Amino acid sequence: MKGTLLVKNVKHLVTCDSDDRVLDNVNVFVQDGAVAYIGQEEKTAEDVIDASHMVMYPGLINTHHHLYQTFSRNLPQVQNMELFPWLKTLYEIWKNVDEDITYYSSLTGMGELLKTGCTTCLDHHYVFPKGHEHGILEAQFAAADTLGMRFHATRGSMDLSKKDGGLPPDSVVQTVDEILADCEDAVAKFHDSSKYSMHQVALAPCSPFSVTGELLKESAKLARRLHVRLHTHLAETIDEENFTLSNFHMRPLEYMESLGWTGPDVWYAHGIHFTDEELAYLAKTQTGVAHCPISNMKLSSGIAKIPQMLDLGVPVGLAVDGSASNDGSNLLEEMRVAYLLHRLKSSQGAPKGYDILKMATRGSAKLLGREELGCIAPGMAADFFLVDLNRIELIGAQFDVKSMLCTVGLKGSVDYTVANGKIVVKKGRLTGIDEDMTIEKANTLVRNYIRQ
Ligand SMILES: [Zn+2]
């Protein structure tokens, strides 16, 4: 039958369901992009994967990224900088982003994500140089469709340039009216709110120090009118805290709250420098946090209070953040780093390996408002990945497959990734593109872009 897939005899199925079940030696039948059956029956399907040596996990969900930064990684001149000088230096490169750079950097970052088990990616794009305001999101959705990835774009924005006390150059900021009109267009053109949707859009002004209070307030009103979610960077650095204290006499969260930016439809990237009272307020309002440990370590920003957030019930998901501060797009690596970082900081109070897996699946799905993602069960979207256990590096490491990806870690690509019921990674290679041709084309583009 067309549109069907049978994953046969799965050795261990880590469901991440509410009962934390691991099922052994089961068949998983997929139809029309959703899981239709899990059990012993062996149904006939168009495609079949023999998973008798494999463990299956729900597709990972990335809740914050800047895919365009994939083309400005590992630049020597910014390697020792912290956030504000790092941003000011890199904006001089990023102001030249166009549709081609966006398409191929998205293909690169999304390709790496798919090869490492991520099936849904949210991207926070906020650099819209003049003349390229309308083609950039289109290029991102085209890249996602080529690869078969479930994609959430954001219509990011900046209206506070250097001359007004912000960080970005004048050529990449817009007026509030222009931004709101473009946001409304992007939602009308790309946002699909249906179950199993492959395309969604959120509104995402860049950060409190690159946008005005007016833009934040109007974006929140518009998002609620259009029934889309709200996202931005918050509580990432002490520099940001000093900025809101000196300009608005408020701490960052208090400032955002005053502009309508708390609630279950809002999530912040980073969330490092919250006080205990602020964490309790996040829990009360169900405002979420996208945890980005590698970026936070690389930019010396600090360690988010993840154990306290989980104890209090703050919604927490995982994210790789922009490639320029990571410098990769690998959620498996992010999971292992998150696990180790909090072990170091909090010892027995740290999340366990399986808790981090749930953060990257169920937790991330909650931030994006996707109840049908993040766990493997009949009726859920058919998003998952498979790891062959017959690898040298996993011998002697299979006693707890729920935690294995964090405690031991998986180096290299997964064997299969399935998104929306389709095989998008097969034997470690992307099925949607010719990887060799893409590498050649993308490398040529990077050289010209960085030389500008
Ligand atoms: Zn970011």
Side-chain angles (χ1 to χ4, degrees):
M1 207 191 316
K2 218 170 157 22
T4 54
L5 167 70
L6 176 70
V7 189
K8 203 170 73 175
N9 202 20
V10 180
K11 187 170 186 182
H12 305 296
L13 167 54
V14 179
T15 63
C16 289
D17 67 9
S18 304
D19 299 321
D20 299 319
R21 288 183 304 161
V22 178
L23 307 174
D24 293 339
N25 306 312
V26 289
N27 298 312
V28 177
F29 181 71
V30 168
Q31 189 167 17
D32 300 328
V35 174
Y37 169 83
I38 299 174
Q40 296 307 315
E41 200 183 323
E42 201 174 302
K43 293 174 184 279
T44 310
E46 188 181 20
D47 285 314
V48 178
I49 299 171
D50 178 358
S52 48
H53 299 290
M54 298 188 191
V55 56
M56 180 192 266
Y57 297 96
L60 307 177
I61 299 170
N62 184 36
T63 55
H64 181 73
H65 206 333
H66 311 289
L67 285 159
Y68 74 94
Q69 295 180 5
T70 308
F71 280 8
S72 50
R73 289 187 274 175
N74 194 28
L75 292 174
Q77 62 269 40
V78 295
Q79 278 172 6
N80 290 327
M81 290 180 178
E82 294 192 11
L83 183 69
F84 277 21
W86 178 89
L87 278 170
K88 279 185 190 165
T89 311
L90 284 170
Y91 274 131
E92 293 305 314
I93 293 170
W94 297 342
K95 68 185 183 187
N96 296 315
V97 162
D98 61 13
E99 288 78 356
D100 249 13
I101 296 291
T102 304
Y103 178 77
Y104 279 95
S105 57
S106 297
L107 217 52
T108 307
M110 288 176 190
E112 185 180 352
L113 283 165
L114 286 171
K115 288 174 73 152
T116 49
C118 174
T119 49
T120 301
C121 177
L122 175 125
D123 192 63
H124 187 180
H125 193 97
Y126 53 83
V127 180
F128 290 88
K130 295 207 188 313
H132 302 283
E133 294 90 340
H134 303 291
I136 280 180
L137 293 193
E138 190 148 350
Q140 291 202 301
F141 280 111
D145 290 349
T146 300
L147 293 166
M149 179 163 238
R150 205 179 291 280
F151 186 58
H152 286 223
T154 61
R155 208 317 177 163
S157 50
M158 298 191 285
D159 70 334
L160 198 61
S161 72
K162 267 186 196 163
K163 68 172 166 38
D164 301 316
L167 299 182
D170 296 347
S171 64
V172 294
V173 303
Q174 295 176 284
T175 66
V176 174
D177 287 345
E178 286 167 347
I179 290 165
L180 295 174
D182 284 353
C183 286
E184 198 153 357
D185 283 352
V187 172
K189 197 167 174 191
F190 301 113
H191 184 68
D192 170 10
S193 60
S194 65
K195 195 176 182 185
Y196 311 127
S197 150
M198 293 297 282
H199 292 177
Q200 294 214 356
V201 177
L203 303 191
C206 182
S207 63
F209 50 84
S210 54
V211 307
T212 58
E214 188 197 355
L215 176 59
L216 286 166
K217 201 171 183 173
E218 293 305 318
S219 296
K221 278 192 210 157
L222 181 63
R224 280 160 186 149
R225 179 160 68 76
L226 300 176
H227 304 290
V228 296
R229 300 175 92 76
L230 282 164
H231 178 53
T232 192
H233 297 94
L234 201 76
E236 182 176 1
T237 63
I238 298 299
D239 284 343
E240 173 201 310
E241 198 170 297
N242 291 337
F243 180 92
T244 63
L245 281 170
S246 64
N247 286 281
F248 315 116
H249 311 292
M250 285 184 262
R251 290 179 48 76
L253 182 62
E254 188 185 5
Y255 174 60
M256 296 305 280
E257 203 272 329
S258 76
L259 299 166
W261 268 77
T262 50
D265 55 347
V266 179
W267 84 107
Y268 303 129
H270 306 298
I272 297 167
H273 302 284
F274 289 130
T275 63
D276 291 347
E277 293 73 32
E278 288 169 342
L279 291 180
Y281 187 73
L282 293 176
K284 188 176 136 205
T285 56
Q286 285 296 288
T287 309
V289 171
H291 181 36
C292 311
I294 294 181
S295 168
N296 300 160
M297 292 164 80
K298 162 121 192 227
L299 294 174
S300 304
S301 302
I303 303 176
K305 298 173 183 170
I306 298 300
Q308 294 92 318
M309 289 187 202
L310 295 179
D311 283 350
L312 288 164
V314 176
V316 181
L318 201 69
V320 298
D321 197 12
S323 300
S325 62
N326 187 306
D327 290 341
S329 298
N330 184 335
L331 262 181
L332 288 173
E333 186 181 32
E334 203 76 35
M335 281 166 49
R336 180 153 156 82
V337 169
Y339 169 74
L340 293 173
L341 175 65
H342 296 293
R343 284 287 304 154
L344 175 65
K345 177 86 192 312
S346 305
S347 184
Q348 290 175 354
K352 297 185 171 55
Y354 179 55
D355 297 327
I356 302 279
L357 174 65
K358 282 202 290 186
M359 186 188 296
T361 51
R362 300 290 293 270
S364 288
K366 186 168 183 180
L367 296 193
L368 301 189
R370 302 297 301 264
E371 286 178 1
E372 75 280 35
L373 307 182
C375 115
I376 302 174
M380 301 294 281
D383 291 5
F384 49 81
F385 64 98
L386 293 153
V387 176
D388 193 333
L389 290 168
N390 288 346
R391 300 174 177 227
I392 289 283
E393 62 269 31
L394 294 180
I395 295 171
Q398 300 169 21
F399 300 106
D400 177 8
V401 290
K402 285 197 293 191
S403 292
M404 186 180 74
L405 297 175
C406 296
T407 51
V408 183
L410 184 71
K411 289 84 180 175
S413 298
V414 304
D415 292 279
Y416 285 86
T417 303
V418 170
N420 195 34
K422 296 188 180 60
I423 300 171
V424 293
V425 173
K426 185 176 186 175
K427 297 181 180 167
R429 301 282 285 182
L430 296 163
T431 61
I433 55 168
D434 179 324
E435 287 195 24
D436 295 335
M437 274 172 59
T438 305
I439 289 165
E440 201 181 323
K441 169 83 180 165
N443 271 329
T444 306
L445 271 173
V446 171
R447 279 193 294 273
N448 293 333
Y449 170 62
I450 296 298
R451 219 182 279 139
Q452 275 175 349

